[in-house]
Amino acid sequence: MPDREAEELGGAGLLRSSLRAAARQLGWKVQTYAWAGTQHGTMVGVVDRRTVPAPFGEAVQGDMARRTRAAVDRVSRRGAVAEQPSSAADADPHMPTTGFRAAYERALHDASAPSGAV
């Protein structure tokens, strides 16, 4: 996500901590990462390190490989910078920033609404 957006959401450290807390509530074996100020913006993520059940292993590995390749391709383009989609329809479905941002803005709106007005 763009650095400016990460800062608006509390910074890479807070985002990483939030991801870790949410993943632990799901019972994940958690690994998180956060890098601010890269040429591609701020990168924050969480990885569930639990063993994948055998019946799903091949599908999960294939999906992980496909998503990793897509992410590497996105950031490896010459002159690539953090993209800011103009609308949710333009957002890359593998980059949940737009959906997260919309949920965050709804929560802020709901929190600021008078009681009973939500």
Side-chain angles (χ1 to χ4, degrees):
M1 74 179 63
D3 290 333
R4 177 181 41 82
E5 185 172 4
E7 286 305 314
E8 288 174 8
L9 295 172
L14 179 60
L15 291 168
R16 183 179 182 186
S17 178
S18 298
L19 289 172
R20 189 179 309 111
R24 285 185 178 151
Q25 287 181 352
L26 295 171
W28 291 12
K29 182 177 177 187
V30 180
Q31 177 182 350
T32 61
Y33 59 89
W35 298 291
T38 73
Q39 82 178 61
H40 306 291
T42 298
M43 298 181 190
V44 183
V46 62
V47 180
D48 179 3
R49 292 293 185 195
R50 294 176 296 172
T51 303
V52 176
F56 306 104
E58 188 176 325
V60 169
Q61 259 188 325
D63 185 62
M64 286 173 44
R66 182 182 56 76
R67 287 176 184 251
T68 299
R69 180 78 253 155
V72 168
D73 288 346
R74 269 193 307 276
V75 299
S76 296
R77 292 188 308 255
R78 182 179 288 285
V81 296
E83 297 175 9
Q84 295 189 49
S86 57
S87 72
D90 296 332
D92 180 338
H94 300 106
M95 299 295 286
T97 303
T98 302
F100 177 82
R101 183 59 148 160
Y104 177 78
E105 288 174 2
R106 279 192 306 273
L108 282 178
H109 177 267
D110 292 349
S112 65
S115 292
V118 177

